Amino acid sequence: MIPDTEVTTMNMTMDVPRTTDAARTLRADLVERAATLRPLLSGNADPADRERGVPAENIGALAEAGLLSLMRPARYGGLQTDHRTLLEVGREVGRACGSTAWVTSLLNANAWFVGLFPARAQDDVWAHTPHARVAGVVTPSGTARVVEGGYRVSGRWTPASGCAHADWAVLGVTRPDAEGTSDAVGIVLAPMSELTIEDTWFVAGMRGTASNTLVGEDLFVPAHRFHSVPDAIEGRYATPFTDEALYRAPFVPTAALVLTGPQLGLAAAAVDLLVERAPGRALALTGYTSQAEAPTVQLAAAHAASLADSARLHAYRAAADIDEAARAGVFPDYDARARMRMDAGMAAVHAREAVRIVCSAQGASSFGESNPLQRVWRDIETGSRHAVLNPEVAAEIYGKSLFGIRGTVSVMV
């Protein structure tokens, strides 16, 4: 059972100074809505893991609470919040269920991607179905052949987190006829009704995300539903609604940061479990009848809680930088974007280490099938290794940028 109150009550005030009181009030309200759902979500966490899918009950409750419309434009009835809010909601949901948090964050993130497209493409998704949800895989695993009026798209895209609950998909493609030009790589929008889902998600952690494979075969995508990825990386978005700050945020840092919310929640859940359980358990093969009295467990609690806080601080700093740049209408330079990606990677590393310390402190029982800590451990070991969060790649990019070396590791900066 996950306790109702957090052990760590430190006030994380790192936020964009110009965030309005109304925005902070809405954020607090949304986090509270997520907290209210925790008993339901934590109760469904084991079935989600065991049955390899987030229950429809979870998705329905999240949608009713408005937690799947955080990144949808207000023009379509969305909340159009900010990335700090998305992180905090993802964290709160992650305290109850890592897979549900991951799906929550990714469905919201893909809605943000749609907000970068031309108005006509956004209308295709939301004009007649304003609650439409979007999954996606940005990795260019498909091809887009130019035809009159658009493209013929084929490919296989994985892992497509949340696809079981989505109406549309963002799909990464290459344009073979544009090889060597700036438009060689892009993302397209396609309705899920034109795609098939292959059951391929057999993994150790984040099993409930059902991040299966999307398959498309020669489906027509009109031209307005293509967006150049190189343009997006440089902040050249197709949306005509340039007064909407949220959709001015930098592409790659945002794509990395949105993955950290669930990690923050899993780290918090692990610390909560340690502090809840340690007082009632003896430390095996010692004279301590309560683990809470043992210095080794006290130190573990301190280190794990501090690492969980460090993860939040890194993530919230990146969110503040992203939200402030978007609000000011300033596209961050390469070095700033490199640091944002580094922050996201470090948040994942610190969160993962916090969980590892808790598992070590709790010993072999951490990995009992009936212990929720084993699911937390499997989830964070899996989720924190998403390619965009890769801390070593992020460090190489950041380290080179500190020496003025740019653009030699990856275009994803």
Side-chain angles (χ1 to χ4, degrees):
M1 176 179 177
I2 298 175
D4 291 331
T5 56
E6 276 189 280
V7 175
T8 303
T9 56
M10 183 174 73
N11 181 23
M12 293 284 184
T13 57
M14 187 177 291
D15 195 5
V16 177
R18 286 184 286 178
T19 300
T20 65
D21 290 342
R24 288 198 172 95
T25 298
L26 175 60
R27 178 187 302 158
D29 176 51
L30 291 166
V31 173
E32 179 59 30
R33 294 185 209 177
T36 301
L37 294 179
R38 282 178 52 211
L40 168 70
L41 304 181
S42 61
N44 284 338
D46 277 338
D49 179 69
R50 188 171 55 254
E51 297 169 15
R52 299 190 302 118
V54 172
E57 182 182 28
N58 287 14
I59 298 299
L62 289 162
E64 186 175 352
L67 303 181
L68 298 181
S69 58
L70 304 178
M71 298 283 114
R72 190 196 315 150
R75 290 176 281 107
Y76 301 104
L79 293 170
Q80 196 175 313
T81 60
D82 55 26
H83 292 91
R84 171 66 179 265
T85 301
L86 178 58
L87 278 187
E88 292 203 34
V89 168
R91 176 179 181 273
E92 196 63 28
V93 175
R95 292 177 65 196
C97 175
S99 289
T100 302
W102 189 267
V103 169
T104 301
S105 294
L106 270 292
L107 290 177
N108 278 299
N110 281 293
W112 181 79
F113 289 141
V114 177
L116 311 181
F117 276 78
R120 190 175 170 191
Q122 296 185 41
D123 277 347
D124 287 350
V125 176
W126 287 312
H128 301 293
T129 52
H131 296 291
R133 296 189 286 265
V134 187
V137 181
V138 174
T139 303
S141 305
T143 57
R145 179 169 55 85
V146 177
V147 297
E148 184 177 356
Y151 307 92
R152 305 299 303 193
V153 171
S154 297
R156 297 171 58 84
W157 296 269
T158 191
S161 303
C163 62
H165 308 286
D167 304 285
W168 285 77
V170 174
L171 305 171
V173 295
T174 57
R175 290 174 49 185
D177 54 318
E179 187 175 358
T181 74
S182 61
D183 285 338
V185 181
I187 48 178
V188 298
L189 283 168
M192 283 294 299
S193 59
E194 297 181 8
L195 298 162
T196 58
I197 300 175
E198 284 191 6
D199 187 13
T200 56
W201 188 244
F202 298 94
V203 290
M206 289 291 187
R207 292 161 50 86
T209 62
S211 302
N212 287 306
T213 299
L214 297 179
V215 180
E217 184 62 38
D218 198 34
L219 52 99
F220 176 72
V221 174
H224 63 271
R225 286 200 227 134
F226 176 93
H227 197 301
S228 162
V229 165
D231 280 354
I233 290 173
E234 295 297 327
R236 296 187 296 272
Y237 301 138
T239 176
F241 305 105
T242 55
D243 60 327
E244 296 176 341
L246 180 61
Y247 309 103
R248 298 195 297 247
F251 186 80
V252 176
T254 294
L257 185 69
V258 296
L259 303 176
T260 62
Q263 328 290 331
L264 305 181
L266 289 165
V271 175
D272 287 344
L273 284 166
L274 175 62
V275 174
E276 178 195 35
R277 296 182 168 200
R281 299 181 61 192
L283 189 60
L285 304 181
T286 75
Y288 288 109
T289 57
S290 167
Q291 293 180 355
E293 296 175 356
T296 182
V297 176
Q298 293 165 354
L299 289 171
H303 289 312
S306 182
L307 282 164
D309 286 345
S310 295
R312 292 172 74 185
L313 288 166
H314 275 93
Y316 290 174
R317 179 173 72 170
D321 287 348
I322 288 171
D323 288 335
E324 173 59 21
R327 185 167 288 111
V330 175
F331 188 71
D333 63 21
Y334 184 95
D335 295 342
R337 302 198 312 272
R339 185 169 64 80
M340 293 172 192
R341 181 167 171 176
M342 184 75 191
D343 275 351
M346 290 310 298
V349 168
H350 287 322
R352 187 170 67 212
E353 180 63 6
V355 174
R356 190 195 66 79
I357 288 174
V358 171
C359 289
S360 294
Q362 290 284 278
S365 67
S366 301
F367 305 98
E369 289 190 359
S370 63
N371 191 335
L373 189 54
Q374 55 82 23
R375 176 171 30 78
V376 169
W377 173 71
R378 287 188 288 109
D379 283 350
I380 202 163
E381 289 288 342
T382 302
S384 65
R385 287 179 168 82
H386 191 287
V388 181
L389 285 177
N390 187 316
E392 301 306 327
V393 172
E396 187 177 350
I397 292 170
Y398 185 45
K400 287 182 186 295
S401 78
L402 293 174
F403 290 103
I405 304 169
R406 302 179 180 89
T408 61
V409 180
S410 169
V411 297
M412 295 297 285
V413 179

